[in-house]
Amino acid sequence: MLPLLLSALLLWMMMPQALSDAVLDTDGQTLKAWTTYYVLPGVHGQGGGGLTLRTRNGKCLMYVAQDESNTSSGTQAFFRPVNSTGSAIIKVSMDVKIAFLGEHKCKNSTVGDLDYLDGPMGNMYMRAGLVDVWFKIEKDGDYYKLQSCLSDSSKGWAVACGNVGVLVEDGKRWLAWSYEALPVVFKKV
């Protein structure tokens, strides 16, 4: 009886640490893999709504953008761990893939990645359809931020990590590597 009681006590003591590392949604619930959420700006009124997918330059490739309307929730997304550990809970700093759902005129993948574009400043934009980039959700004050790492999680190394922020071009708000991260929150659909 005593070993069972000690095991239960140890498990109970470890639970707050495991949950404290979990990413929380706007209702204070843990972010769960394969569950749909809206990725919304943490700070309202700074020029945009939730994350969505758009085409750029007339090409049928989907890029991640911030909706221009402050009231738009954007496109539904879900997260999945890169290294499946059996946990359904998404934790801070965990390597994840992000997939956006919905109907799009382009029939390519909607898993977010980064794509180098020869734009005015040679920026790295988030594009759907690539497979070699992971994301991390990091705590950023009262909010979270997305980071993108060119990495190989299975080998435990990262080449480079960068904050995902917003670059404004011709009135459109594109997600890209940026010095300043876009503060975000996650609202369950």
Side-chain angles (χ1 to χ4, degrees), residues 69-88:
S69 170
N70 287 331
T71 59
S72 171
S73 294
T75 302
Q76 297 176 22
F78 69 83
F79 305 86
R80 68 172 174 83
V82 172
N83 294 326
S84 179
T85 59
S87 173

Side-chain angles (χ1 to χ4, degrees), residues 46-58 63-69 105 117 120 123 125-126 165-176 182:
Q46 292 191 339
L51 302 188
T52 190
L53 293 177
R54 292 224 162 83
T55 59
R56 287 180 56 88
N57 304 326
Y63 287 85
V64 183
Q66 185 181 18
D67 199 289
E68 288 84 17
S69 170
K105 64 181 180 179
L117 284 185
N123 296 313
Y125 292 87
M126 276 183 71
V166 173
L167 293 176
V168 179
E169 291 178 355
D170 299 324
K172 302 288 184 198
R173 301 176 62 83
W174 303 103
L175 263 63
L182 173 67

Side-chain angles (χ1 to χ4, degrees), residues 41-163:
V43 180
H44 297 284
Q46 292 191 339
L51 302 188
T52 190
L53 293 177
R54 292 224 162 83
T55 59
R56 287 180 56 88
N57 304 326
K59 296 179 182 175
C60 204
L61 299 171
M62 301 306 294
Y63 287 85
V64 183
Q66 185 181 18
D67 199 289
E68 288 84 17
S69 170
N70 287 331
T71 59
S72 171
S73 294
T75 302
Q76 297 176 22
F78 69 83
F79 305 86
R80 68 172 174 83
V82 172
N83 294 326
S84 179
T85 59
S87 173
I89 296 174
I90 302 297
K91 295 182 179 180
V92 171
S93 298
M94 176 186 278
D95 288 343
V96 296
K97 284 288 193 176
I98 304 170
F100 293 88
L101 307 175
E103 293 295 318
H104 304 286
K105 64 181 180 179
C106 298
K107 298 297 181 196
N108 56 347
S109 171
T110 58
V111 176
D113 270 315
L114 288 176
D115 182 31
Y116 178 77
L117 284 185
D118 230 359
M121 297 173 34
N123 296 313
M124 297 278 290
Y125 292 87
M126 276 183 71
R127 187 183 94 191
L130 304 174
V131 293
D132 58 350
V133 180
W134 316 124
F135 291 89
K136 293 180 184 292
I137 301 171
E138 301 289 354
K139 191 73 175 138
D140 189 20
D142 292 336
Y143 309 107
Y144 294 95
K145 66 180 179 179
L146 299 176
Q147 286 194 324
S148 178
C149 297
L150 305 169
S151 66
D152 187 340
S153 289
S154 65
K155 295 181 181 151
W157 56 268
V159 175
C161 293
N163 290 325

